[in-house]
Amino acid sequence: MILITGGAGFIGSNFVLHWCALNDEPVVNLDALTYAGNRANLQSLEGNDQQRFVHGNICDAALLAKIFSQHRPRAVVHFAAESHVDRSITGPEAFVETNVVGTFRLLEAARAHWNTLQGADKAAFRFLHVSTDEVYGTLAPTDPAFTENTPYAPNSPYSASKAASDHLVRSYYHTYGMPVLTTNCSNNYGPFHFPEKLIPLMIVNALAGKSLPVYGDGQQIRDWLYVEDHCSGIRRVLEAGTCGETYNIGGWNEKANIDIVKIVCALLDEMAPASARQVINQQTGKPVEQYAELITYVADRPGHDRRYAIDARKIERELGWRPAETFDTGIRKTVAWYLANQTWVKGVIDGSYRDWVAQQYGA
Ligand code: NAD
Ligand code: TYD
């Protein structure tokens, strides 16, 4: 079996769902169910014994020791993290705790387990650490995209904590010979994305007639990858990656934030016209005709990275992986998913979500 951490979050839940759809190998899913974890993401697996859910924290060494000795996983895929840059600016400590200390505890538990293995089982064991392109810092408009050799230059408490965890993982290969793999991926989007991140926030706010807050001049560039492609990239690295190596995973899809917001608005105009839904602009009290009317430029994020871009040629060359979706196909699926899953959206927009939105965006 394999051990997944953070499998009730956005990417982890997509990974667990696809894993269970594609093969029979059992999954133990360890998740602390923070504000970002949601068991509703895994509802379609209810009654399916292939996934065993454990509610617990990756910082809990005793729990980790128990899970490893009870389940004896052949691999760990480590998603659990605090993942939102804006939250890392207002409250960095949780990022150090989970992303650095938690990854360290998980590595220690995995090492103790790996040391009990022998022969082929020991050689086949894998620890795959899921990380981000944000560890490489920011690019100027004409800089080449990040490769696996780009020096680390993290700029936010989030990316700094992920960089620290990447370094710890690397050290376990060099020091102990533990069979680790690291993936550094660009911005994901798709089903089950918590609506504090750009794309789902824009969909949810637009449908409610709320303003669409674009930070600064909206010209910051991100490389966007459909979440299912990220999951297939991770499966490929797990199956065929070379231990001790890192693999960049990206969508070859650089877009400015303002263009992303306009694309989302245009798709909503087509798929859920504001006039038909009688959407009222919450600022003016007037009916919304086109969702782009709601775009509002707001104060920039402190230390906002200007551009991320992933050079994903290594994973293509060495492992034959390329994304299956273009941005056009992926974003259309995503908007359709949010329209079809309004009950899920209502479920996550609870009291603590509203507190975060009030704190971050004010009235
Ligand atoms: P997420 O915030 O949606 O989910 C994180 C999950 O981890 C949640 O289910 C949460 O309950 C769980 N978790 C948090 N702290 C925990 C702890 N101490 N113990 C156990 N579980 C804990 O995050 P995501 O967007 O799904 O990201 C998953 C991973 O992928 C992260 O490591 C992130 O750095 C990385 N990543 C994300 C993106 C992206 O665009 N979202 C891109 C590249 C890499
Ligand atoms: P986000 O989804 O938070 O991902 P990350 O910061 O990890 O890239 O943000 C994506 C981009 O969108 C980033 O440049 C910040 C910007 N952004 C806004 O302009 N407005 C918003 O309300 C949010 C949440 C993000």
Side-chain angles (χ1 to χ4, degrees), residues 25 76 88 114 124 141 162 173 209-210 301 318 357:
E25 187 174 12
V76 177
S88 84
W114 178 67
K162 290 297 291 187
Y173 175 74
K210 293 185 179 160
R301 171 187 280 173
E318 295 187 8
V357 170

Side-chain angles (χ1 to χ4, degrees), residues 43-60:
Q43 203 172 20
S44 62
L45 291 178
E46 254 166 47
N48 179 344
D49 293 342
Q50 192 179 352
Q51 185 221 200
R52 173 97 177 262
F53 187 82
V54 180
H55 182 193
N57 198 309
I58 56 165
C59 297
D60 182 343

Side-chain angles (χ1 to χ4, degrees), residues 9-11 31-32 34 37 57-58 79 83 98 131 158 162 186 188:
F10 164 46
I11 306 172
D31 197 296
T34 68
N57 198 309
I58 56 165
F79 293 95
S83 69
T98 284
S131 191
Y158 164 64
K162 290 297 291 187
S186 59
N188 285 214

Side-chain angles (χ1 to χ4, degrees), residues 82-84 87-88 91-100 157-158 161:
E82 289 292 337
S83 69
H84 188 32
R87 286 186 191 252
S88 84
E93 189 157 353
F95 288 72
V96 174
E97 188 61 19
T98 284
N99 300 0
V100 185
Y158 164 64
S161 65

Side-chain angles (χ1 to χ4, degrees), residues 200-212:
L201 181 78
M202 296 300 149
I203 298 172
V204 168
N205 277 15
L207 293 174
K210 293 185 179 160
S211 58
L212 307 180

